[in-house]
Amino acid sequence: MKPVLVLQHEHQDGPAYLLQWLRERGIAVDVRNTQAGDAYPASIDDHAALAILGGSMSANDPLPSLRNAERLILDAMAKQRPVIGHCLGGQLMARALGARVAASPAPEIGWSTIDVHAHDAAVDWFGAAGPVTVFQWHFEAFDLPAGAVPLAGSAACQHQAFAIGPHLAMQFHVELDAEKLQRWADEVDPALAARHATVQAREAMHAGAEGLLRAQQALADRLYARWWAAALPPR
């Protein structure tokens, strides 16, 4: 089986739980970290699926790596290789498909509740309709591209996830693990948290984090399994 291609934009935003999930299942992984100087491949042909991680830059920044990521997203979708995008990765999916990425009505940083829509596609991905707690870190958000099915939203950000067939774009970080949470919590600007109810301070991020992380990783298990299943040969 060909490996999964993981596009990493920055050292501080690695694959974390996604990498753990893939390795536990014996799935080969090819991580390309553009900040480390890794080149993105010319096509998706040597890979079974595509995952795009987050980053502190805007999806609209004029960076060659971002445009290359968009090119690979379209290539993968055209060749029926499932694509999953985390935060910036989801925004790049939307942008590649012609949708707008712009400032979110409010920044979201930390644990927050999103509402999974009550229709079959959303339940198929998330397991049930209704509220679910996920970890966020974003200042921008995506509109829905043509043909996308909205899966979840929140008061602070209308579109939290969408699907197009086997391809999933998320505004949040289900790849979070304990190490990444610890590192990111130390980077929160207390002044930003004081100004926005949607931004958590370090202490709030750690409150109940063990249970929240366990629940989010159970959700990640479901989302990753649904995404990866589309890469497997038909029985």
Side-chain angles (χ1 to χ4, degrees):
M1 189 75 181
K2 295 177 179 179
V4 171
L5 176 61
V6 178
L7 303 184
Q8 181 174 343
H9 305 283
E10 295 181 310
H11 298 316
Q12 56 85 25
D13 204 343
Y17 186 69
L18 170 62
L19 186 62
Q20 177 184 329
W21 190 91
L22 292 167
R23 285 178 171 170
E24 285 176 349
R25 287 152 184 81
I27 300 167
V29 187
D30 179 8
V31 179
R32 304 289 183 97
N33 180 353
T34 189
Q35 192 174 27
D38 297 339
Y40 291 171
S43 78
I44 199 66
D45 291 352
D46 293 332
H47 299 87
L50 174 63
I52 314 100
L53 301 176
S56 62
M57 64 283 289
S58 167
N60 299 312
D61 285 347
L63 299 174
S65 61
L66 300 183
R67 304 293 79 82
N68 285 335
E70 291 173 351
R71 174 181 51 76
L72 283 164
I73 288 165
L74 295 177
D75 189 39
M77 293 179 73
K79 294 172 179 174
Q80 304 301 310
R81 313 288 170 90
V83 181
I84 191 166
H86 307 73
C87 198
L88 174 65
Q91 294 169 3
L92 289 169
M93 289 175 67
R95 194 179 184 282
L97 294 163
R100 185 181 73 120
V101 175
S104 185
E108 291 185 292
I109 297 176
W111 298 103
S112 68
T113 299
I114 65 173
D115 291 306
V116 177
H117 299 322
H119 58 70
D120 289 348
V123 172
D124 187 39
W125 278 101
F126 284 85
V132 61
T133 300
V134 294
F135 192 87
Q136 309 261 14
W137 195 304
H138 70 97
F139 295 87
E140 295 187 331
F142 48 65
D143 287 345
L144 292 180
V149 178
L151 303 180
S154 71
C157 182
Q158 181 182 8
H159 301 303
Q160 290 280 356
F162 70 79
I164 297 180
H167 315 294
L168 176 66
M170 299 170 288
Q171 190 57 77
F172 42 91
H173 286 275
V174 295
E175 87 289 353
L176 192 78
D177 61 9
E179 185 276 333
K180 197 169 189 176
L181 174 61
Q182 178 68 51
R183 208 163 21 85
W184 281 9
D186 289 342
E187 297 173 3
V188 176
D189 180 356
L192 189 65
R195 290 198 306 270
H196 296 280
T198 52
V199 176
Q200 287 184 327
R202 180 182 184 279
E203 295 75 16
M205 284 189 188
H206 284 300
E210 184 176 348
L212 290 167
L213 197 56
R214 189 184 314 114
Q216 180 174 261
Q217 289 179 347
L219 172 63
D221 290 345
R222 181 183 182 91
L223 297 174
Y224 290 155
R226 170 78 166 74
W227 158 73
W228 175 245
L232 298 174
R235 292 180 180 274

mmCIF file with all atom_site columns, all heavy atoms in Angstrom, residues 126-149:
data_model
loop_
_atom_site.group_PDB
_atom_site.id
_atom_site.type_symbol
_atom_site.label_atom_id
_atom_site.label_alt_id
_atom_site.label_comp_id
_atom_site.label_asym_id
_atom_site.label_entity_id
_atom_site.label_seq_id
_atom_site.pdbx_PDB_ins_code
_atom_site.Cartn_x
_atom_site.Cartn_y
_atom_site.Cartn_z
_atom_site.occupancy
_atom_site.B_iso_or_equiv
_atom_site.pdbx_formal_charge
_atom_site.auth_seq_id
_atom_site.auth_comp_id
_atom_site.auth_asym_id
_atom_site.auth_atom_id
_atom_site.pdbx_PDB_model_num
ATOM 1   N N   . PHE A 1 126 ? -19.337 12.086 12.159 1.00 0.00 ? 126 PHE A N   1
ATOM 2   C CA  . PHE A 1 126 ? -19.113 12.399 13.571 1.00 0.00 ? 126 PHE A CA  1
ATOM 3   C C   . PHE A 1 126 ? -19.755 11.404 14.543 1.00 0.00 ? 126 PHE A C   1
ATOM 4   O O   . PHE A 1 126 ? -19.426 11.418 15.729 1.00 0.00 ? 126 PHE A O   1
ATOM 5   C CB  . PHE A 1 126 ? -19.633 13.805 13.884 1.00 0.00 ? 126 PHE A CB  1
ATOM 6   C CG  . PHE A 1 126 ? -18.727 14.897 13.386 1.00 0.00 ? 126 PHE A CG  1
ATOM 7   C CD1 . PHE A 1 126 ? -18.811 15.359 12.084 1.00 0.00 ? 126 PHE A CD1 1
ATOM 8   C CD2 . PHE A 1 126 ? -17.775 15.462 14.218 1.00 0.00 ? 126 PHE A CD2 1
ATOM 9   C CE1 . PHE A 1 126 ? -17.972 16.357 11.615 1.00 0.00 ? 126 PHE A CE1 1
ATOM 10  C CE2 . PHE A 1 126 ? -16.934 16.460 13.775 1.00 0.00 ? 126 PHE A CE2 1
ATOM 11  C CZ  . PHE A 1 126 ? -17.038 16.907 12.465 1.00 0.00 ? 126 PHE A CZ  1
ATOM 12  N N   . GLY A 1 127 ? -20.650 10.581 14.073 1.00 0.00 ? 127 GLY A N   1
ATOM 13  C CA  . GLY A 1 127 ? -21.244 9.569  14.937 1.00 0.00 ? 127 GLY A CA  1
ATOM 14  C C   . GLY A 1 127 ? -22.576 9.954  15.516 1.00 0.00 ? 127 GLY A C   1
ATOM 15  O O   . GLY A 1 127 ? -23.413 9.085  15.783 1.00 0.00 ? 127 GLY A O   1
ATOM 16  N N   . ALA A 1 128 ? -22.825 11.234 15.739 1.00 0.00 ? 128 ALA A N   1
ATOM 17  C CA  . ALA A 1 128 ? -24.100 11.697 16.296 1.00 0.00 ? 128 ALA A CA  1
ATOM 18  C C   . ALA A 1 128 ? -24.199 13.194 16.073 1.00 0.00 ? 128 ALA A C   1
ATOM 19  O O   . ALA A 1 128 ? -23.185 13.902 15.992 1.00 0.00 ? 128 ALA A O   1
ATOM 20  C CB  . ALA A 1 128 ? -24.205 11.370 17.781 1.00 0.00 ? 128 ALA A CB  1
ATOM 21  N N   . ALA A 1 129 ? -25.425 13.685 15.971 1.00 0.00 ? 129 ALA A N   1
ATOM 22  C CA  . ALA A 1 129 ? -25.655 15.122 15.901 1.00 0.00 ? 129 ALA A CA  1
ATOM 23  C C   . ALA A 1 129 ? -25.558 15.723 17.296 1.00 0.00 ? 129 ALA A C   1
ATOM 24  O O   . ALA A 1 129 ? -25.651 15.019 18.300 1.00 0.00 ? 129 ALA A O   1
ATOM 25  C CB  . ALA A 1 129 ? -27.030 15.404 15.294 1.00 0.00 ? 129 ALA A CB  1
ATOM 26  N N   . GLY A 1 130 ? -25.364 17.041 17.341 1.00 0.00 ? 130 GLY A N   1
ATOM 27  C CA  . GLY A 1 130 ? -25.338 17.721 18.629 1.00 0.00 ? 130 GLY A CA  1
ATOM 28  C C   . GLY A 1 130 ? -23.972 18.255 18.985 1.00 0.00 ? 130 GLY A C   1
ATOM 29  O O   . GLY A 1 130 ? -23.048 18.275 18.157 1.00 0.00 ? 130 GLY A O   1
ATOM 30  N N   . PRO A 1 131 ? -23.809 18.703 20.220 1.00 0.00 ? 131 PRO A N   1
ATOM 31  C CA  . PRO A 1 131 ? -22.560 19.371 20.618 1.00 0.00 ? 131 PRO A CA  1
ATOM 32  C C   . PRO A 1 131 ? -21.398 18.402 20.811 1.00 0.00 ? 131 PRO A C   1
ATOM 33  O O   . PRO A 1 131 ? -21.577 17.273 21.268 1.00 0.00 ? 131 PRO A O   1
ATOM 34  C CB  . PRO A 1 131 ? -22.939 20.045 21.943 1.00 0.00 ? 131 PRO A CB  1
ATOM 35  C CG  . PRO A 1 131 ? -24.051 19.211 22.484 1.00 0.00 ? 131 PRO A CG  1
ATOM 36  C CD  . PRO A 1 131 ? -24.819 18.713 21.296 1.00 0.00 ? 131 PRO A CD  1
ATOM 37  N N   . VAL A 1 132 ? -20.211 18.861 20.444 1.00 0.00 ? 132 VAL A N   1
ATOM 38  C CA  . VAL A 1 132 ? -18.987 18.112 20.684 1.00 0.00 ? 132 VAL A CA  1
ATOM 39  C C   . VAL A 1 132 ? -17.883 19.130 20.964 1.00 0.00 ? 132 VAL A C   1
ATOM 40  O O   . VAL A 1 132 ? -17.880 20.218 20.384 1.00 0.00 ? 132 VAL A O   1
ATOM 41  C CB  . VAL A 1 132 ? -18.630 17.212 19.473 1.00 0.00 ? 132 VAL A CB  1
ATOM 42  C CG1 . VAL A 1 132 ? -18.391 18.032 18.220 1.00 0.00 ? 132 VAL A CG1 1
ATOM 43  C CG2 . VAL A 1 132 ? -17.422 16.339 19.764 1.00 0.00 ? 132 VAL A CG2 1
ATOM 44  N N   . THR A 1 133 ? -16.993 18.794 21.871 1.00 0.00 ? 133 THR A N   1
ATOM 45  C CA  . THR A 1 133 ? -15.919 19.714 22.250 1.00 0.00 ? 133 THR A CA  1
ATOM 46  C C   . THR A 1 133 ? -14.645 19.367 21.498 1.00 0.00 ? 133 THR A C   1
ATOM 47  O O   . THR A 1 133 ? -14.212 18.209 21.492 1.00 0.00 ? 133 THR A O   1
ATOM 48  C CB  . THR A 1 133 ? -15.668 19.664 23.772 1.00 0.00 ? 133 THR A CB  1
ATOM 49  O OG1 . THR A 1 133 ? -16.870 20.045 24.452 1.00 0.00 ? 133 THR A OG1 1
ATOM 50  C CG2 . THR A 1 133 ? -14.560 20.627 24.171 1.00 0.00 ? 133 THR A CG2 1
ATOM 51  N N   . VAL A 1 134 ? -14.061 20.377 20.867 1.00 0.00 ? 134 VAL A N   1
ATOM 52  C CA  . VAL A 1 134 ? -12.837 20.192 20.086 1.00 0.00 ? 134 VAL A CA  1
ATOM 53  C C   . VAL A 1 134 ? -11.852 21.302 20.446 1.00 0.00 ? 134 VAL A C   1
ATOM 54  O O   . VAL A 1 134 ? -12.218 22.300 21.070 1.00 0.00 ? 134 VAL A O   1
ATOM 55  C CB  . VAL A 1 134 ? -13.122 20.209 18.570 1.00 0.00 ? 134 VAL A CB  1
ATOM 56  C CG1 . VAL A 1 134 ? -13.964 19.014 18.165 1.00 0.00 ? 134 VAL A CG1 1
ATOM 57  C CG2 . VAL A 1 134 ? -13.797 21.523 18.153 1.00 0.00 ? 134 VAL A CG2 1
ATOM 58  N N   . PHE A 1 135 ? -10.600 21.135 20.008 1.00 0.00 ? 135 PHE A N   1
ATOM 59  C CA  . PHE A 1 135 ? -9.575  22.137 20.281 1.00 0.00 ? 135 PHE A CA  1
ATOM 60  C C   . PHE A 1 135 ? -9.365  23.013 19.051 1.00 0.00 ? 135 PHE A C   1
ATOM 61  O O   . PHE A 1 135 ? -9.184  22.516 17.940 1.00 0.00 ? 135 PHE A O   1
ATOM 62  C CB  . PHE A 1 135 ? -8.245  21.487 20.672 1.00 0.00 ? 135 PHE A CB  1
ATOM 63  C CG  . PHE A 1 135 ? -7.260  22.471 21.236 1.00 0.00 ? 135 PHE A CG  1
ATOM 64  C CD1 . PHE A 1 135 ? -7.258  22.772 22.588 1.00 0.00 ? 135 PHE A CD1 1
ATOM 65  C CD2 . PHE A 1 135 ? -6.341  23.116 20.410 1.00 0.00 ? 135 PHE A CD2 1
ATOM 66  C CE1 . PHE A 1 135 ? -6.362  23.699 23.117 1.00 0.00 ? 135 PHE A CE1 1
ATOM 67  C CE2 . PHE A 1 135 ? -5.442  24.039 20.927 1.00 0.00 ? 135 PHE A CE2 1
ATOM 68  C CZ  . PHE A 1 135 ? -5.449  24.337 22.287 1.00 0.00 ? 135 PHE A CZ  1
ATOM 69  N N   . GLN A 1 136 ? -9.377  24.319 19.267 1.00 0.00 ? 136 GLN A N   1
ATOM 70  C CA  . GLN A 1 136 ? -9.282  25.286 18.178 1.00 0.00 ? 136 GLN A CA  1
ATOM 71  C C   . GLN A 1 136 ? -8.031  26.169 18.333 1.00 0.00 ? 136 GLN A C   1
ATOM 72  O O   . GLN A 1 136 ? -7.567  26.404 19.446 1.00 0.00 ? 136 GLN A O   1
ATOM 73  C CB  . GLN A 1 136 ? -10.500 26.230 18.211 1.00 0.00 ? 136 GLN A CB  1
ATOM 74  C CG  . GLN A 1 136 ? -11.845 25.548 18.287 1.00 0.00 ? 136 GLN A CG  1
ATOM 75  C CD  . GLN A 1 136 ? -12.517 25.461 16.928 1.00 0.00 ? 136 GLN A CD  1
ATOM 76  O OE1 . GLN A 1 136 ? -11.890 25.675 15.887 1.00 0.00 ? 136 GLN A OE1 1
ATOM 77  N NE2 . GLN A 1 136 ? -13.794 25.152 16.932 1.00 0.00 ? 136 GLN A NE2 1
ATOM 78  N N   . TRP A 1 137 ? -7.541  26.639 17.185 1.00 0.00 ? 137 TRP A N   1
ATOM 79  C CA  . TRP A 1 137 ? -6.560  27.726 17.202 1.00 0.00 ? 137 TRP A CA  1
ATOM 80  C C   . TRP A 1 137 ? -6.594  28.367 15.824 1.00 0.00 ? 137 TRP A C   1
ATOM 81  O O   . TRP A 1 137 ? -5.856  27.984 14.914 1.00 0.00 ? 137 TRP A O   1
ATOM 82  C CB  . TRP A 1 137 ? -5.161  27.230 17.538 1.00 0.00 ? 137 TRP A CB  1
ATOM 83  C CG  . TRP A 1 137 ? -4.223  28.373 17.909 1.00 0.00 ? 137 TRP A CG  1
ATOM 84  C CD1 . TRP A 1 137 ? -3.929  29.480 17.151 1.00 0.00 ? 137 TRP A CD1 1
ATOM 85  C CD2 . TRP A 1 137 ? -3.490  28.527 19.125 1.00 0.00 ? 137 TRP A CD2 1
ATOM 86  N NE1 . TRP A 1 137 ? -3.063  30.302 17.814 1.00 0.00 ? 137 TRP A NE1 1
ATOM 87  C CE2 . TRP A 1 137 ? -2.776  29.748 19.033 1.00 0.00 ? 137 TRP A CE2 1
ATOM 88  C CE3 . TRP A 1 137 ? -3.370  27.758 20.275 1.00 0.00 ? 137 TRP A CE3 1
ATOM 89  C CZ2 . TRP A 1 137 ? -1.938  30.213 20.045 1.00 0.00 ? 137 TRP A CZ2 1
ATOM 90  C CZ3 . TRP A 1 137 ? -2.544  28.218 21.282 1.00 0.00 ? 137 TRP A CZ3 1
ATOM 91  C CH2 . TRP A 1 137 ? -1.834  29.429 21.179 1.00 0.00 ? 137 TRP A CH2 1
ATOM 92  N N   . HIS A 1 138 ? -7.456  29.343 15.638 1.00 0.00 ? 138 HIS A N   1
ATOM 93  C CA  . HIS A 1 138 ? -7.542  29.984 14.325 1.00 0.00 ? 138 HIS A CA  1
ATOM 94  C C   . HIS A 1 138 ? -8.062  31.405 14.446 1.00 0.00 ? 138 HIS A C   1
ATOM 95  O O   . HIS A 1 138 ? -8.824  31.742 15.349 1.00 0.00 ? 138 HIS A O   1
ATOM 96  C CB  . HIS A 1 138 ? -8.435  29.172 13.368 1.00 0.00 ? 138 HIS A CB  1
ATOM 97  C CG  . HIS A 1 138 ? -9.896  29.201 13.711 1.00 0.00 ? 138 HIS A CG  1
ATOM 98  N ND1 . HIS A 1 138 ? -10.780 30.065 13.106 1.00 0.00 ? 138 HIS A ND1 1
ATOM 99  C CD2 . HIS A 1 138 ? -10.625 28.480 14.598 1.00 0.00 ? 138 HIS A CD2 1
ATOM 100 C CE1 . HIS A 1 138 ? -11.991 29.865 13.602 1.00 0.00 ? 138 HIS A CE1 1
ATOM 101 N NE2 . HIS A 1 138 ? -11.925 28.920 14.512 1.00 0.00 ? 138 HIS A NE2 1
ATOM 102 N N   . PHE A 1 139 ? -7.637  32.224 13.479 1.00 0.00 ? 139 PHE A N   1
ATOM 103 C CA  . PHE A 1 139 ? -8.086  33.608 13.350 1.00 0.00 ? 139 PHE A CA  1
ATOM 104 C C   . PHE A 1 139 ? -8.868  33.819 12.059 1.00 0.00 ? 139 PHE A C   1
ATOM 105 O O   . PHE A 1 139 ? -9.520  34.835 11.891 1.00 0.00 ? 139 PHE A O   1
ATOM 106 C CB  . PHE A 1 139 ? -6.884  34.559 13.366 1.00 0.00 ? 139 PHE A CB  1
ATOM 107 C CG  . PHE A 1 139 ? -6.145  34.565 14.682 1.00 0.00 ? 139 PHE A CG  1
ATOM 108 C CD1 . PHE A 1 139 ? -5.129  33.646 14.928 1.00 0.00 ? 139 PHE A CD1 1
ATOM 109 C CD2 . PHE A 1 139 ? -6.465  35.466 15.674 1.00 0.00 ? 139 PHE A CD2 1
ATOM 110 C CE1 . PHE A 1 139 ? -4.440  33.642 16.130 1.00 0.00 ? 139 PHE A CE1 1
ATOM 111 C CE2 . PHE A 1 139 ? -5.791  35.476 16.885 1.00 0.00 ? 139 PHE A CE2 1
ATOM 112 C CZ  . PHE A 1 139 ? -4.777  34.561 17.119 1.00 0.00 ? 139 PHE A CZ  1
ATOM 113 N N   . GLU A 1 140 ? -8.767  32.879 11.138 1.00 0.00 ? 140 GLU A N   1
ATOM 114 C CA  . GLU A 1 140 ? -9.500  32.936 9.876  1.00 0.00 ? 140 GLU A CA  1
ATOM 115 C C   . GLU A 1 140 ? -10.421 31.729 9.763  1.00 0.00 ? 140 GLU A C   1
ATOM 116 O O   . GLU A 1 140 ? -10.316 30.773 10.542 1.00 0.00 ? 140 GLU A O   1
ATOM 117 C CB  . GLU A 1 140 ? -8.527  32.986 8.697  1.00 0.00 ? 140 GLU A CB  1
ATOM 118 C CG  . GLU A 1 140 ? -7.685  34.261 8.666  1.00 0.00 ? 140 GLU A CG  1
ATOM 119 C CD  . GLU A 1 140 ? -6.841  34.394 7.418  1.00 0.00 ? 140 GLU A CD  1
ATOM 120 O OE1 . GLU A 1 140 ? -6.446  33.356 6.835  1.00 0.00 ? 140 GLU A OE1 1
ATOM 121 O OE2 . GLU A 1 140 ? -6.576  35.539 7.025  1.00 0.00 ? 140 GLU A OE2 1
ATOM 122 N N   . ALA A 1 141 ? -11.307 31.782 8.787  1.00 0.00 ? 141 ALA A N   1
ATOM 123 C CA  . ALA A 1 141 ? -12.271 30.696 8.603  1.00 0.00 ? 141 ALA A CA  1
ATOM 124 C C   . ALA A 1 141 ? -12.636 30.588 7.133  1.00 0.00 ? 141 ALA A C   1
ATOM 125 O O   . ALA A 1 141 ? -12.450 31.539 6.360  1.00 0.00 ? 141 ALA A O   1
ATOM 126 C CB  . ALA A 1 141 ? -13.523 30.950 9.433  1.00 0.00 ? 141 ALA A CB  1
ATOM 127 N N   . PHE A 1 142 ? -13.157 29.430 6.744  1.00 0.00 ? 142 PHE A N   1
ATOM 128 C CA  . PHE A 1 142 ? -13.505 29.202 5.340  1.00 0.00 ? 142 PHE A CA  1
ATOM 129 C C   . PHE A 1 142 ? -14.996 29.346 5.088  1.00 0.00 ? 142 PHE A C   1
ATOM 130 O O   . PHE A 1 142 ? -15.825 29.094 5.948  1.00 0.00 ? 142 PHE A O   1
ATOM 131 C CB  . PHE A 1 142 ? -13.040 27.819 4.868  1.00 0.00 ? 142 PHE A CB  1
ATOM 132 C CG  . PHE A 1 142 ? -13.380 26.658 5.771  1.00 0.00 ? 142 PHE A CG  1
ATOM 133 C CD1 . PHE A 1 142 ? -14.688 26.266 6.012  1.00 0.00 ? 142 PHE A CD1 1
ATOM 134 C CD2 . PHE A 1 142 ? -12.364 25.917 6.379  1.00 0.00 ? 142 PHE A CD2 1
ATOM 135 C CE1 . PHE A 1 142 ? -14.992 25.177 6.816  1.00 0.00 ? 142 PHE A CE1 1
ATOM 136 C CE2 . PHE A 1 142 ? -12.647 24.833 7.197  1.00 0.00 ? 142 PHE A CE2 1
ATOM 137 C CZ  . PHE A 1 142 ? -13.968 24.464 7.417  1.00 0.00 ? 142 PHE A CZ  1
ATOM 138 N N   . ASP A 1 143 ? -15.332 29.794 3.875  1.00 0.00 ? 143 ASP A N   1
ATOM 139 C CA  . ASP A 1 143 ? -16.676 29.648 3.337  1.00 0.00 ? 143 ASP A CA  1
ATOM 140 C C   . ASP A 1 143 ? -16.777 28.253 2.727  1.00 0.00 ? 143 ASP A C   1
ATOM 141 O O   . ASP A 1 143 ? -15.767 27.555 2.563  1.00 0.00 ? 143 ASP A O   1
ATOM 142 C CB  . ASP A 1 143 ? -16.957 30.707 2.271  1.00 0.00 ? 143 ASP A CB  1
ATOM 143 C CG  . ASP A 1 143 ? -17.149 32.094 2.850  1.00 0.00 ? 143 ASP A CG  1
ATOM 144 O OD1 . ASP A 1 143 ? -17.344 32.212 4.085  1.00 0.00 ? 143 ASP A OD1 1
ATOM 145 O OD2 . ASP A 1 143 ? -17.088 33.071 2.070  1.00 0.00 ? 143 ASP A OD2 1
ATOM 146 N N   . LEU A 1 144 ? -17.995 27.875 2.362  1.00 0.00 ? 144 LEU A N   1
ATOM 147 C CA  . LEU A 1 144 ? -18.188 26.552 1.766  1.00 0.00 ? 144 LEU A CA  1
ATOM 148 C C   . LEU A 1 144 ? -17.945 26.598 0.263  1.00 0.00 ? 144 LEU A C   1
ATOM 149 O O   . LEU A 1 144 ? -18.529 27.425 -0.439 1.00 0.00 ? 144 LEU A O   1
ATOM 150 C CB  . LEU A 1 144 ? -19.612 26.061 2.022  1.00 0.00 ? 144 LEU A CB  1
ATOM 151 C CG  . LEU A 1 144 ? -19.982 25.724 3.461  1.00 0.00 ? 144 LEU A CG  1
ATOM 152 C CD1 . LEU A 1 144 ? -21.433 25.248 3.507  1.00 0.00 ? 144 LEU A CD1 1
ATOM 153 C CD2 . LEU A 1 144 ? -19.062 24.658 4.036  1.00 0.00 ? 144 LEU A CD2 1
ATOM 154 N N   . PRO A 1 145 ? -17.119 25.706 -0.249 1.00 0.00 ? 145 PRO A N   1
ATOM 155 C CA  . PRO A 1 145 ? -16.959 25.629 -1.704 1.00 0.00 ? 145 PRO A CA  1
ATOM 156 C C   . PRO A 1 145 ? -18.166 24.950 -2.352 1.00 0.00 ? 145 PRO A C   1
ATOM 157 O O   . PRO A 1 145 ? -18.967 24.294 -1.676 1.00 0.00 ? 145 PRO A O   1
ATOM 158 C CB  . PRO A 1 145 ? -15.691 24.789 -1.872 1.00 0.00 ? 145 PRO A CB  1
ATOM 159 C CG  . PRO A 1 145 ? -15.604 23.961 -0.632 1.00 0.00 ? 145 PRO A CG  1
ATOM 160 C CD  . PRO A 1 145 ? -16.226 24.776 0.466  1.00 0.00 ? 145 PRO A CD  1
ATOM 161 N N   . ALA A 1 146 ? -18.289 25.101 -3.639 1.00 0.00 ? 146 ALA A N   1
ATOM 162 C CA  . ALA A 1 146 ? -19.376 24.469 -4.376 1.00 0.00 ? 146 ALA A CA  1
ATOM 163 C C   . ALA A 1 146 ? -19.332 22.956 -4.183 1.00 0.00 ? 146 ALA A C   1
ATOM 164 O O   . ALA A 1 146 ? -18.266 22.346 -4.244 1.00 0.00 ? 146 ALA A O   1
ATOM 165 C CB  . ALA A 1 146 ? -19.267 24.810 -5.855 1.00 0.00 ? 146 ALA A CB  1
ATOM 166 N N   . GLY A 1 147 ? -20.482 22.372 -3.925 1.00 0.00 ? 147 GLY A N   1
ATOM 167 C CA  . GLY A 1 147 ? -20.580 20.926 -3.762 1.00 0.00 ? 147 GLY A CA  1
ATOM 168 C C   . GLY A 1 147 ? -20.273 20.413 -2.375 1.00 0.00 ? 147 GLY A C   1
ATOM 169 O O   . GLY A 1 147 ? -20.397 19.215 -2.117 1.00 0.00 ? 147 GLY A O   1
ATOM 170 N N   . ALA A 1 148 ? -19.874 21.306 -1.456 1.00 0.00 ? 148 ALA A N   1
ATOM 171 C CA  . ALA A 1 148 ? -19.535 20.873 -0.096 1.00 0.00 ? 148 ALA A CA  1
ATOM 172 C C   . ALA A 1 148 ? -20.788 20.693 0.744  1.00 0.00 ? 148 ALA A C   1
ATOM 173 O O   . ALA A 1 148 ? -21.769 21.426 0.601  1.00 0.00 ? 148 ALA A O   1
ATOM 174 C CB  . ALA A 1 148 ? -18.611 21.897 0.560  1.00 0.00 ? 148 ALA A CB  1
ATOM 175 N N   . VAL A 1 149 ? -20.737 19.723 1.638  1.00 0.00 ? 149 VAL A N   1
ATOM 176 C CA  . VAL A 1 149 ? -21.817 19.486 2.590  1.00 0.00 ? 149 VAL A CA  1
ATOM 177 C C   . VAL A 1 149 ? -21.361 19.989 3.953  1.00 0.00 ? 149 VAL A C   1
ATOM 178 O O   . VAL A 1 149 ? -20.368 19.484 4.498  1.00 0.00 ? 149 VAL A O   1
ATOM 179 C CB  . VAL A 1 149 ? -22.165 17.987 2.674  1.00 0.00 ? 149 VAL A CB  1
ATOM 180 C CG1 . VAL A 1 149 ? -23.271 17.745 3.705  1.00 0.00 ? 149 VAL A CG1 1
ATOM 181 C CG2 . VAL A 1 149 ? -22.576 17.455 1.317  1.00 0.00 ? 149 VAL A CG2 1
#
